[in-house]
Amino acid sequence: LEVKKSEAEAQISAAKEAKQNWSAASKKHHEAQKAEKVGLKEMSTLADKKAALDVVIDEHFAKLVDKTAGEPKKSMKEVTKALKQHGAEKQLLEAISAALQPEKEHGGFEKVVIETAMEILTKARANFAGKVEASEATKAALAAAVESAEAEAKDLQGVSTALEAKAAEAKDAKNEAEASLADVEKTLELVEKTFEDAKSEEAQALGEVANAKEALEALVAIETAVEASETLAADAAEEAVLPTAGEA
């Protein structure tokens, strides 16, 4: 029983540890998924910002410069908004708004203003492009981390399940051993009780034999006394019948 108990305790302890490892791996997997989700959202935001800047540069700014913009006011609003977002000073914003008016000829000053504004926007676009390119490697790394964590959690789940099954088997074996021991103890108690009952019955029988022996001995003594009394009585009667010497 002690062996079964020790085995059961060892299996239960191992199963508990495996379950804790699985729980930790599952948490790691969840955190990796969360990190991937955040990373993908950030990448998507970067891609959206680059795409929006592409439209500002290639559609609005370029068409304002060559005077083909269908809606000059709207295009100017988008250009100045983008320049402001990427650090252009107030003087440049005012200058570019004046330089890109449809009726304005592009002299030396206007060309410098346009080149300066374009440099700010193209630099911002290159920065976005670099981040988007770098994010592809980050995306792959995040996906690999999720896959690795998922595989580890799956493996540990299998280990945990197997050890839980073994622990259950060991526990059942321990319970069966305890039940068997209880049955043996119960049987032993019954045997002891039967033995005690038999001893009691034997003692009672011996007492009855002794009583019977005493009664028999008393009966024999009585019979002996009776016989002796009868003999004495017979002798006395015989003596009474015989004549005395004078009568003869």
Side-chain angles (χ1 to χ4, degrees):
L1 176 60
E2 289 302 320
V3 173
K4 295 292 184 181
K5 186 177 179 180
S6 297
E7 289 177 352
E9 289 175 350
Q11 291 292 351
I12 290 171
S13 178
K16 184 178 180 180
E17 183 179 355
K19 192 171 184 179
Q20 290 174 341
N21 292 338
W22 172 33
S23 179
S26 297
K27 184 178 180 181
K28 181 180 177 182
H29 178 218
H30 177 71
E31 290 174 349
Q33 287 179 315
K34 186 177 179 180
E36 182 184 37
K37 185 177 180 180
V38 172
L40 290 176
K41 185 177 180 180
E42 291 176 351
M43 293 173 206
S44 178
T45 300
L46 282 173
D48 291 343
K49 287 182 177 180
K50 180 182 178 299
L53 191 56
D54 286 340
V55 172
V56 170
I57 295 172
D58 299 334
E59 295 293 327
H60 298 298
F61 201 158
K63 289 183 178 180
L64 283 172
V65 172
D66 63 18
K67 302 182 184 300
T68 59
E71 299 179 82
K73 288 184 178 180
K74 180 180 178 181
S75 293
M76 181 61 69
K77 183 178 180 180
E78 293 297 326
V79 170
T80 55
K81 179 182 176 182
L83 285 168
K84 186 176 181 180
Q85 288 175 340
H86 296 290
E89 296 181 355
K90 184 178 179 181
Q91 293 85 346
L92 179 60
L93 296 176
E94 293 174 351
I96 197 66
S97 295
L100 293 178
Q101 293 299 318
E103 67 279 3
K104 185 76 174 179
E105 292 298 327
H106 299 162
F109 176 74
E110 285 77 19
K111 287 181 180 179
V112 171
V113 170
I114 290 170
E115 288 175 358
T116 302
M118 180 61 79
E119 183 179 353
I120 291 174
L121 294 180
T122 53
K123 184 177 179 180
R125 176 160 67 177
N127 184 43
F128 280 139
K131 288 181 178 180
V132 169
E133 183 178 355
S135 70
E136 290 300 319
T138 302
K139 181 180 178 180
L142 289 171
V146 170
E147 184 178 356
S148 175
E150 183 179 11
E152 182 181 5
K154 188 175 181 180
D155 289 343
L156 290 174
Q157 181 183 13
V159 172
S160 177
T161 301
L163 287 176
E164 282 184 350
K166 287 184 178 180
E169 290 175 359
K171 189 175 181 180
D172 289 342
K174 186 195 78 166
N175 291 339
E176 288 177 4
E178 288 177 343
S180 297
L181 179 60
D183 289 341
V184 169
E185 290 176 343
K186 186 175 180 180
T187 301
L188 181 60
E189 289 177 0
L190 182 60
V191 169
E192 289 176 347
K193 186 177 183 303
T194 302
F195 179 70
E196 291 298 326
D197 291 343
K199 283 177 66 178
S200 177
E201 291 175 359
E202 181 184 12
Q204 183 179 355
L206 289 174
E208 291 175 354
V209 169
N211 292 336
K213 184 177 180 181
E214 289 178 1
L216 180 60
E217 289 175 348
L219 180 59
V220 170
I222 291 170
E223 289 179 350
T224 301
V226 169
E227 288 178 358
S229 177
E230 289 176 349
T231 300
L232 290 174
D235 290 342
E238 185 177 350
E239 287 177 0
V241 173
L242 292 175
T244 62
E247 290 178 348

